[in-house]
Amino acid sequence: MPRIVHPPHSKSPPTHPSGLLGTRVGFVPAPLNKPANEPTHKAAYSPLRSLCDHPQLQAPIDAVLTKTAATQRRPIILRRSAEISAEALIRSALTAHRLYPTTATQQTCLSAYSLLTPSHILSTTTTFSRAPLQILLSADTLLGGTGTPHVDATERIHALSSLITHCHNSPADHAPVLAAIAHAEITNSNAFGPRSPLIGLLASRLVATTFGLDPHALFVPELYWVRHRDELHQQIKDFNTNPRGVITWVESSLQSWTVGADEASGIIQQF
């Protein structure tokens, strides 16, 4: 994979998400700090809790967590995770190029996905958990961009960055939901111009890897989106304009991880 060149550190994001992002994913209009009377254990205040507990999402979230965990428990993962991940990431990058063929070349897609290769995954996820914007800017650079988000999307991207850092150490059910939110927010923000949908897709992978849904980068959720590209484009728009669209989008994103886990199982059988 090509060498990764990280851009300079980005400015610190705001301490809480913007009102627009909060409205879309069910935030209350308050800072992301834990309420004074909230206990300090696992149940501490979570900006995604209401969405994770939505009755239409609870069962699909549980199903995805069960499916992905079972795939990762295969004994061969302990011995050959690096090889399996490398194959999965190549498939993911090439499938992402099929989804957005005019946005980047196959080579630049492979370069961007190299952020998650075994030799880089630890440094990438460590940085992403505390400074996600820095990794997103790296991805933009690797895809041929300037590594600078558009000025009119800065607030929205900083709000997402704040949400990601706040969700560090969140319960397991947050990971697939946060991955869906990151994907849609970056795509809709147009922060990186024509590369925004591809960086949104990659951001969902970064969230999944950093927050434990796919810690070894074994899955290929891009395969689902290639099969449902028309729904992808429409649901992305509905996420931005229709409160009901948020739930529909998260449901589809959950399905992408189920398909991605199935593809990972097929790769595992080759080893």
Side-chain angles (χ1 to χ4, degrees), residues 1 15 19 183 213:
M1 294 286 181
T15 57
H183 187 172
L213 179 66

Side-chain angles (χ1 to χ4, degrees), residues 1-4 85-100 104-121 124 135 138-143 183 195-206 209 214 216-223 225-226 257:
M1 294 286 181
R3 182 174 64 89
I4 297 174
S85 174
E87 173 62 26
L89 286 170
I90 290 173
R91 294 191 189 189
S92 293
L94 296 180
T95 305
H97 178 259
R98 286 171 54 199
L99 188 60
Y100 301 110
T105 66
Q106 286 188 353
Q107 187 58 44
T108 54
C109 284
L110 288 166
S111 294
Y113 273 79
S114 73
L115 287 164
L116 291 173
T117 54
S119 59
H120 294 110
I121 192 169
T124 294
I135 298 299
S138 294
D140 185 46
T141 301
L142 292 166
L143 287 169
H183 187 172
R195 296 171 303 282
S196 298
L198 190 50
I199 294 176
L201 180 58
L202 184 58
S204 71
R205 299 297 309 269
L206 289 162
T209 303
D214 183 18
H216 301 293
L218 304 175
F219 305 144
V220 190
E222 293 82 0
L223 195 59
W225 297 122
V226 165
W257 289 106

Side-chain angles (χ1 to χ4, degrees), residues 176-250:
V177 174
L178 184 58
I181 298 301
H183 187 172
E185 278 293 306
I186 292 173
T187 300
N188 278 314
S189 73
N190 199 36
F192 303 101
R195 296 171 303 282
S196 298
L198 190 50
I199 294 176
L201 180 58
L202 184 58
S204 71
R205 299 297 309 269
L206 289 162
V207 168
T209 303
T210 302
F211 289 86
L213 179 66
D214 183 18
H216 301 293
L218 304 175
F219 305 144
V220 190
E222 293 82 0
L223 195 59
Y224 174 86
W225 297 122
V226 165
R227 295 171 180 171
H228 301 274
R229 67 179 72 208
D230 291 339
E231 293 95 322
L232 165 63
H233 300 319
Q234 184 58 51
Q235 289 174 8
I236 282 282
K237 293 178 183 178
D238 291 344
F239 174 93
N240 208 37
T241 59
N242 178 2
R244 172 65 193 163
V246 175
I247 303 300
T248 301
W249 168 254
V250 174

Side-chain angles (χ1 to χ4, degrees), residues 3-47:
R3 182 174 64 89
I4 297 174
V5 179
H6 293 288
H9 287 273
S10 60
K11 295 181 180 179
S12 298
T15 57
H16 59 83
S18 69
L20 286 175
L21 177 57
T23 299
R24 279 191 292 278
V25 301
F27 293 116
V28 294
L32 288 181
N33 297 323
K34 177 177 67 66
N37 61 347
E38 189 73 32
T40 57
H41 55 67
K42 180 180 176 180
Y45 173 68
S46 166

